[in-house]
Each structure stands twice: as C-alpha cells, then as structure tokens.
Amino acid sequence: SPEELERFDRDVFPVLLAQKSWQGEVTATRKDGTTFAERVSLTITPDNLLICVCQDISERTRLEADRQRAEARIALQLRQQQTLATITQLLQQSLDLEHIQTIIAHQVKEVLHADRVIIFRLYPDGTSRIVEEAVVEGLPRLQDKHWKDEVWSQEVLDFYWQGQPRIVPDVMSDRWTECLMEYSIEGQIQSKIVAPILQELRHGDNHRWVSPTNANKLWGVLVVHACTQKRVWQETEAELLQQIANQ
C-alpha cells in the first residue's frame, strides 16, 4: 500500500543500508484486495544483491489473538469469582450494613469497570433513595437526591419480583426510562444493569414492595451505570451482579 511504501522509505531503508539487514512485520495486500500480516526479512549481500524472504503470519496472528482473548476471559472470570467470594465472606463476618454496602459498591465498580454503582433502598412507607454510591471522578453524584418523576410502576415491580437482572443497552430508548427521565439525564446514564435485591417476607410486612405471588419483598436494587458511552453488557456480567445482589 502507499502507506507501507512510505514507511519503508522513511523507517526501513535507512536501517537496511546501514546494517545490511532488516526484519519486521508488514500488512500485505492480495490480488483480491484483502490484506494479511506478513513477516519480511531483507538482507544485502556483499555483492550488493537484495534478498527478500516473506512469511505469511496471518494464521499465527489469529491464533495468538484467540489465545490472548481466552486468557483475558479466564482472568476476568477469576476476578469475578474472587469478588463474589470477598463479598460473601464480608457478609458472613460483618453485621454493619452501611460498611457492607460501601464495600459492595466499590468492589462491583472495580470488577465490572463501571462508571457508577448504586444501591437503591425501598422503604416500607413507599419511599426510595440511594443509600450507597461509588462513582468515577468527574461524574455527578446521585446519592441523597430525589426526583419528581421517580415512579416504580407495577410492571417494573412485577419484573423485579422474579429475581432476574435486567440489561438496558440504551437508557434513553428504554420503555421504563419515562418514569426516571430526570434521574437518568442528571446521572448522564447511557446504559445499565439492574439486579433486584429480594428479602424473605417477615410477619407484619404489608406495603407496596411486597410480592402478591412470591414469599418475598423487593428490598432494593443493585445497579451499575455506563455514562461515558453506551456499553454492550455481557450476560455473565448481569449474572455476577445478580449473584452479588442475592448474597
């Protein structure tokens, strides 16, 4: 390509003339216009002949990329398992709810590389508020704020009573954002995962967060936000978040 020829003139030939040899990787072009990775070895012989040896390394490159992706997946799974184990151990050792919430929010933010993590608490009188937040520097804090349009519709409650996480790839086009529009705009939220935190019913529980069909109530939700750009959340990330919410 013209770009490769320009690079050879600028970077390769001066080295080749000075050292009489050069090795490196280039992007070559086939007759059909497709490109592939190629290793090139150039040598100038004592009688000033130029010997060029080329090796197609596109398959090797692909295999190496596959190996690196597999290693990255394994490393991510290990970090997620370690986070879940840390949180499980914390819950077994501590009765300090505020301390637990703080640790969980920051652990989840780190392992999922989220811009913000919040724990939303729902109270027996029907009110709700953010009781914990971990957010990257530069983004607005939402804790202790209240929004006039904040509504938990029956459709939303029916879904979360099932105990399943919900991935929202685009907050502004989501059908449930209408009742949380002010909150979503102020938080600069572009995509998110919401995991319900369910609690077994106790004697005397009688408020709108109690499921009419299941023996539980919606204690709150654990939410991760992507704010700098829309994020394609993975099912494994949603599953991890729900596991933590279950704990």
Side-chain angles (χ1 to χ4, degrees):
S1 66
E3 292 79 10
E4 288 287 0
L5 290 175
E6 182 180 350
R7 182 171 74 88
F8 263 69
D9 286 339
R10 183 185 66 249
D11 301 329
V12 175
F13 285 129
V15 175
L16 177 62
L17 293 175
Q19 300 181 4
K20 306 303 181 183
S21 66
W22 178 86
Q23 284 189 351
E25 295 181 6
V26 302
T27 301
T29 304
R30 300 184 180 92
K31 290 183 179 180
D32 62 3
T34 60
T35 60
F36 63 98
E38 188 175 55
R39 174 168 288 280
V40 177
S41 176
L42 300 174
T43 304
I44 297 178
T45 66
D47 52 354
N48 290 325
L49 291 177
L50 177 62
I51 299 175
C52 177
V53 178
C54 300
Q55 179 187 10
D56 185 347
I57 59 172
S58 53
E59 179 64 15
R60 189 197 71 183
T61 303
R62 184 186 65 78
L63 293 174
E64 176 66 16
D66 290 344
R67 183 187 65 80
Q68 291 177 354
R69 282 193 291 269
E71 290 179 348
R73 283 195 299 270
I74 293 172
L76 176 60
Q77 291 171 357
L78 180 60
R79 289 198 302 273
Q80 292 177 347
Q81 292 169 1
Q82 290 173 337
T83 298
L84 184 59
T86 299
I87 290 173
T88 302
Q89 184 179 23
L90 171 67
L91 292 171
Q92 294 171 347
Q93 295 176 345
S94 176
L95 296 176
D96 185 342
L97 182 59
E98 291 187 4
H99 176 64
I100 289 171
Q101 291 172 167
T102 299
I103 296 297
I104 286 176
H106 285 85
Q107 288 272 340
V108 170
K109 175 178 170 292
E110 180 178 349
V111 75
L112 292 184
H113 302 291
D115 292 325
R116 182 189 293 108
V117 176
I118 63 171
I119 298 176
F120 232 113
R121 177 75 187 273
L122 309 179
Y123 292 94
D125 62 1
T127 61
S128 62
R129 70 180 181 90
I130 297 173
V131 294
E132 190 59 58
E133 177 182 29
V135 60
V136 300
E137 186 177 353
L139 287 176
R141 293 190 61 84
L142 302 179
Q143 193 169 355
D144 297 326
K145 292 188 177 183
H146 181 74
W147 297 271
K148 296 179 181 179
D149 65 347
E150 182 185 321
V151 178
W152 294 73
S153 69
Q154 193 62 47
E155 182 185 12
V156 171
L157 294 175
D158 288 341
F159 180 88
Y160 289 138
W161 276 326
Q162 300 173 40
Q164 298 298 320
R166 183 168 186 263
I167 296 176
V168 183
D170 184 353
V171 166
M172 288 305 159
S173 65
D174 183 63
R175 71 180 190 275
W176 289 351
T177 297
E178 183 177 351
C179 60
L180 293 168
M181 183 63 71
E182 187 179 351
Y183 153 79
S184 300
I185 293 174
E186 185 168 349
Q188 301 176 19
I189 309 166
Q190 299 208 39
S191 59
K192 63 184 180 180
I193 308 176
V194 183
I197 304 171
L198 298 179
Q199 187 177 27
E200 290 185 2
L201 288 178
R202 295 175 297 183
H203 180 70
D205 283 332
N206 184 24
H207 50 78
R208 72 185 304 259
W209 312 122
V210 172
S211 169
T213 57
N214 302 321
N216 60 48
K217 63 181 178 182
L218 187 60
W219 183 94
V221 288
L222 176 60
V223 191
V224 295
H225 292 162
C227 302
T228 54
Q229 61 183 1
K230 293 183 180 68
R231 176 167 168 176
V232 180
W233 299 99
Q234 303 301 313
E235 290 292 341
T236 53
E237 294 172 320
E239 292 169 2
L240 174 66
L241 193 68
Q242 189 60 60
Q243 286 180 311
I244 295 172
N246 292 344
Q247 291 292 328

